[in-house]
Amino acid sequence: MPKRDTAQRRHAILAYVNEHGETPVETLASRFAISEVTVRKDLNTLERSGLLLRRYGGAAPLPQEMLAEPAQALSPFKQAIARAARARIREHNRIIVDSGTTTAALIGELGGLRGLVVMTNSLAVAGALRELESEPALLMTGGTWDPHSESFQGQVAEQVLRAYDFDQLFVGADGIDLERGTTTYNELFGLTRVMAEVAREVVVMVEADKIGRRIPNLELPWSRIDTLVTDWRLDDVSAAAIERQDVALVVAPEPVGRIDV
């Protein structure tokens, strides 16, 4: 069976389980006219991708507490940053999109780009990708669910990432230390460093009001960052400090006719 048909079938199986709750293998085999062996393979793949849970003799949806909160309206700053970051992506690129609201904003800008392969550790990002009309190929890290970051982390996720190579990583930050690099409140930042290892270009997406924040946990040093995309509120002193780190600086312009509420 062509890979496209397999992906569509697994997508349909996931939708069925999410709609009907815990479902036996026999029911899925009958519903989709495939063998129970094939169903088990599909369920194992979906579980490794962090999209459902295997149960004895079947599968169940992810618990509600593991699902992302409903999407909220994006700030104009995040929208502008997402558009500027999207301009750096070419068709057929293989990209990683890390968890976070700023990086998730990028997904809505990907429509029309053909042949993308997107790896993520975020259920919110995965869900947004599935809503795109031209749905990219989706890969998920799997791993251990971290409710703080609402993403998968840990050694399993790191092992999955190291099995691939990517053109670009798009990652956010809690803060930008102008001397050290990206900083975070979360102590689980090992996965982000692995993401940076397997990507040829590391693109940090961050709102200007986070630049200059000195948070104890250093996530990515400047030596691991290629590009920083921010918004038009960036001051000249901070811009000069970033450029001295040999990082390409992209400042998203203020939208014409924008009205502050």
Side-chain angles (χ1 to χ4, degrees):
M1 177 176 289
K3 289 184 178 180
R4 178 64 179 173
D5 291 344
T6 300
Q8 289 175 337
R9 185 186 67 242
R10 289 172 178 168
H11 188 113
I13 289 173
L14 177 62
Y16 187 93
V17 172
N18 284 337
E19 180 180 353
H20 294 87
E22 187 165 345
T23 307
V25 167
E26 295 86 348
T27 300
L28 294 171
S30 174
R31 173 69 178 79
F32 295 99
I34 55 177
S35 70
E36 293 184 10
V37 172
T38 300
V39 171
R40 291 189 181 92
K41 288 181 180 178
D42 287 348
L43 295 180
N44 289 337
T45 298
L46 290 167
E47 182 183 48
R48 285 196 301 270
S49 297
L51 297 174
L52 53 67
L53 297 176
R54 289 286 272 120
R55 291 286 186 262
Y56 180 77
L62 292 172
Q64 283 299 119
E65 60 268 22
M66 292 181 66
L67 300 176
E69 295 288 324
Q72 307 211 349
L74 290 174
S75 73
F77 314 116
K78 285 182 169 61
Q79 289 176 325
I81 291 167
R83 285 192 292 269
R86 182 258 186 245
R88 304 187 68 81
I89 304 174
R90 297 181 179 180
E91 292 187 342
H92 304 287
N93 269 16
R94 298 165 59 87
I95 68 175
I96 309 171
V97 180
D98 195 10
S99 61
T101 55
T102 306
T103 48
L106 176 63
I107 303 307
E109 304 294 327
L110 298 181
L113 281 173
R114 296 176 299 174
L116 289 183
V117 176
V118 184
M119 169 77 84
T120 187
N121 62 333
S122 164
L123 290 178
V125 169
L129 282 166
R130 290 170 55 204
E131 296 299 320
L132 294 179
E133 185 173 345
S134 55
E135 184 180 340
L138 170 62
L139 304 173
M140 291 203 70
T141 62
T144 302
W145 179 253
D146 171 42
H148 175 77
S149 63
E150 294 188 337
S151 63
F152 292 100
Q153 304 285 339
Q155 293 183 357
V156 170
E158 292 175 12
Q159 291 170 1
V160 170
L161 276 164
R162 287 193 170 105
Y164 296 87
D165 64 271
F166 296 89
D167 298 298
Q168 294 163 302
L169 161 64
F170 293 89
V171 60
D174 291 323
I176 298 291
D177 186 320
L178 292 171
E179 296 178 0
R180 298 189 300 157
T182 67
T183 55
T184 180
Y185 296 108
N186 192 351
E187 295 185 357
L188 297 175
F189 49 79
L191 185 64
T192 301
R193 293 183 174 179
V194 175
M195 289 177 174
E197 289 174 13
V198 299
R200 283 183 281 278
E201 181 186 15
V202 176
V203 181
V204 174
M205 302 170 60
V206 64
E207 293 182 68
D209 60 2
K210 293 184 178 181
I211 294 176
R213 284 187 184 177
R214 300 175 65 89
I215 299 171
N217 296 325
L218 176 65
E219 191 165 32
L220 292 176
W222 285 117
S223 60
R224 302 304 303 272
I225 300 168
D226 300 292
T227 304
L228 187 142
V229 184
T230 189
D231 62 76
W232 61 91
R233 297 171 297 164
L234 181 68
D235 63 85
D236 292 341
V237 173
S238 297
I242 292 168
E243 290 176 332
R244 283 198 296 271
Q245 299 291 345
D246 195 26
V247 169
L249 177 62
V250 178
V251 179
E254 183 174 8
V256 176
R258 187 180 68 87
I259 300 176
D260 291 319
V261 177

